[in-house]
């Protein structure tokens, strides 16, 4: 196509924004986020490295930030008033990161550096802050889900291995950590 100057631009043609996740602000967390209301959505547009907050009723964009993350996924409202984001670091980085941004001050920091754990997922990465003050991370390309405590120690690790000698694993899009009482009955007791 004549308006695209190189191959990278051509790849964007069919997916100019790549909206990949949205998270509504819960009424339990709204006090931690001045200027926002319950049900406001934090949205990720990976291709443009854009995170923004929008009122779903009026479509007013209340806040936005570009460039703190790279081809990110999974923005989450967090109890400390920050938005946590899985930065895939799709383009040239060797590792992915979990970045947190304070929307009131625009200050950001890397909460989990992939270099410390040897994790890289150039697409489809996920994370979850748990009620146990741990962060559960899914590195999809590595087929790896792991949980890190406040001290930075891995307290849980699962690899969806295909061939451990060659370090090959199946894609693991998302994993979740549930509390022990999440299921009303032990579902496996009903399995034949």
């Amino acid at each position: 196509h004549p308006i695209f100057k190189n191959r990278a631009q051509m790849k964007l043609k069919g997916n100019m924004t790549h909206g990949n996740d949205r998270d509504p602000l819960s009424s339990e967390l709204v006090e931690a986020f001045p200027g926002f209301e319950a049900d406001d959505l934090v949205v990720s547009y990976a291709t443009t490295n854009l995170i923004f907050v929008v009122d779903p009723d009026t479509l007013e964009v209340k806040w936005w930030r570009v460039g703190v993350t790279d081809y990110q996924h999974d923005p989450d409202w967090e109890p400390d008033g920050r938005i946590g984001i899985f930065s895939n670091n799709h383009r040239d980085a060797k590792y992915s990161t979990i970045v947190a941004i304070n929307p009131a001050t625009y200050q950001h920091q890397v909460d989990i550096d992939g270099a410390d754990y040897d994790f890289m997922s150039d697409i489809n990465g996920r994370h979850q802050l748990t009620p146990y003050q741990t962060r559960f991370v899914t590195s999809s390309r590595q087929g790896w889900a792991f949980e890190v405590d406040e001290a930075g120690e891995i307290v849980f690790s699962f690899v969806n291995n295909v061939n451990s000698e060659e370090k090959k694993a199946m894609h693991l899009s998302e994993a979740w950590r549930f509390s022990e009482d999440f299921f009303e009955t032990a579902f496996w007791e009903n399995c034949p």
Side-chain angles (χ1 to χ4, degrees):
H1 192 281
I3 66 166
F4 297 110
K5 297 177 183 165
N6 61 44
R7 251 178 223 263
Q9 288 179 322
M10 287 178 69
K11 288 180 184 178
L12 298 179
K13 180 182 175 195
N15 195 358
M16 294 301 285
T17 58
H18 187 72
N20 58 39
D21 197 11
R22 52 88 191 112
D23 190 36
L25 179 56
S26 70
S27 56
E28 292 84 21
L29 294 180
V30 75
E31 287 186 26
F33 292 93
F36 301 117
E37 297 175 20
D39 297 326
D40 281 351
L41 299 174
V42 61
V43 180
S44 167
Y45 277 6
T47 305
T48 55
N49 302 327
L50 171 65
I51 302 293
F52 64 98
V53 176
V54 63
D55 180 318
D57 296 321
T58 66
L59 301 182
E60 173 194 359
V61 173
K62 294 182 168 185
W63 177 90
W64 62 275
R65 185 75 166 142
V66 172
V68 172
T69 55
D70 179 21
Y71 211 78
Q72 74 283 334
H73 277 78
D74 199 18
D76 292 334
W77 303 97
E78 297 192 344
D80 64 0
R82 300 182 308 159
I83 297 171
I85 306 156
F86 190 113
S87 184
N88 286 297
N89 298 333
H90 180 73
R91 288 167 177 76
D92 296 319
K94 294 174 101 174
Y95 302 102
S96 297
T97 54
I98 307 298
V99 177
I101 303 171
N102 182 328
T105 64
Y106 286 88
Q107 292 180 327
H108 68 279
Q109 70 183 48
V110 173
D111 277 0
I112 297 183
D113 188 339
D116 295 339
Y117 304 95
D118 196 25
F119 87 87
M120 173 59 174
S121 185
D122 62 340
I123 62 167
N124 203 220
R126 307 273 188 220
H127 72 104
Q128 172 192 14
L129 190 61
T130 75
Y132 310 102
Q133 303 310 310
T134 61
R135 191 170 302 271
F136 200 76
V137 178
T138 307
S139 184
S140 62
R141 292 276 199 173
Q142 292 174 302
W144 185 26
F146 64 99
E147 187 174 0
V148 177
D149 68 11
E150 287 182 287
E153 298 294 321
I154 293 178
V155 295
F156 172 82
S157 179
F158 168 79
V159 179
N160 199 13
N161 274 332
V162 172
N163 183 328
S164 59
E165 289 179 14
E166 294 182 23
K167 294 186 177 182
K168 290 185 180 178
M170 293 184 68
H171 188 92
L172 182 63
S173 178
E174 189 166 8
W176 289 89
R177 185 187 200 286
F178 296 103
S179 62
E180 287 182 30
D181 61 351
F182 182 80
F183 297 100
E184 289 181 17
T185 60
F187 66 87
W188 54 87
E189 291 176 5
N190 297 325
C191 296

